[in-house]
Amino acid sequence: MDRLILMRHGKAEQHAATGGDFERALAPRGQADATLMGQVLAKADLAPDLALVSSARRTRETWDAASPAFPAAQAQVRRDLYHAEAQDVLAAIREDAPDSGTVMVVGHNPGLHELAVRMAMGGAADPARLAKLRGKFPTATVAVFSIDPDGAPALIHLFYASENGGHGGE
């Protein structure tokens, strides 16, 4: 793997019609922000080759909104990414990541945020970007890491929907 993209799902509705967290759909703002972030990534030439997507409705809908920007990407929907802790997300990446290319994970906080911070602190990162990452990881946020041949990560991009023309916020 040459690059890793971590994307938190878009803003979701407060309650699912069924009452369960797993079936919460994206709110209209979440749909718009996810579409926007797909376009931002594609414009920056950061299209994934493989997307690992939590099986929760809001993460699947986030991928569905972003994926038109990545027509060649393959996607795997995975139940084990639903509210996964940082080490579980990392295990899923290691299990399914190709030898080279770009892998994207569409998942949930706090696991995704914790993983992004750990990776950024373990590699080269601009101090201002690292401080910003440590502070928040709102819905539709994307952290992009380059991975060197020895497997060391470097935080190279941090995109917030609110800073790219989206609605932003928690």
Side-chain angles (χ1 to χ4, degrees):
M1 176 173 53
D2 302 323
R3 194 169 28 218
L4 176 64
I5 301 169
L6 301 176
M7 180 177 187
R8 184 176 175 200
H9 63 78
K11 178 73 175 170
E13 62 187 6
Q14 289 293 323
H15 303 283
T18 62
D21 179 70
F22 188 79
E23 287 301 320
R24 287 173 47 217
L26 284 184
R29 186 180 97 199
Q31 288 277 346
D33 287 350
T35 300
L36 172 70
M37 296 313 282
Q39 294 166 349
V40 166
L41 288 168
K43 184 176 179 180
D45 198 25
L46 296 169
D49 298 304
L50 173 66
L52 304 177
V53 181
S54 163
S55 58
R57 181 175 176 181
R58 62 191 173 276
T59 46
R60 289 181 284 122
E61 289 181 355
T62 297
W63 172 249
D64 289 345
S67 65
F70 320 121
Q74 303 271 331
Q76 292 180 14
V77 176
R78 296 181 54 126
R79 177 75 183 198
D80 61 340
L81 291 175
Y82 175 61
H83 286 304
E85 295 183 17
Q87 64 269 16
D88 300 321
V89 175
L90 191 56
I93 294 165
R94 288 182 175 149
E95 178 182 318
D96 285 318
D99 292 333
S100 63
T102 300
V103 176
M104 180 177 195
V105 177
V106 182
H108 310 268
N109 274 358
L112 220 53
H113 187 206
E114 290 172 8
L115 179 59
V117 169
R118 285 183 197 174
M119 290 180 67
M121 291 177 63
D126 170 68
R129 191 178 290 147
L130 178 59
K132 190 173 186 178
L133 173 63
R134 291 178 80 173
K136 62 180 182 172
F137 205 78
T139 56
T141 293
V142 178
V144 182
F145 295 86
S146 65
I147 310 296
D148 76 12
D150 294 325
L155 178 63
I156 57 172
H157 296 288
L158 185 59
F159 298 114
Y160 292 94
S162 60
E163 296 173 358
N164 287 280
H167 302 88
E170 295 280 339

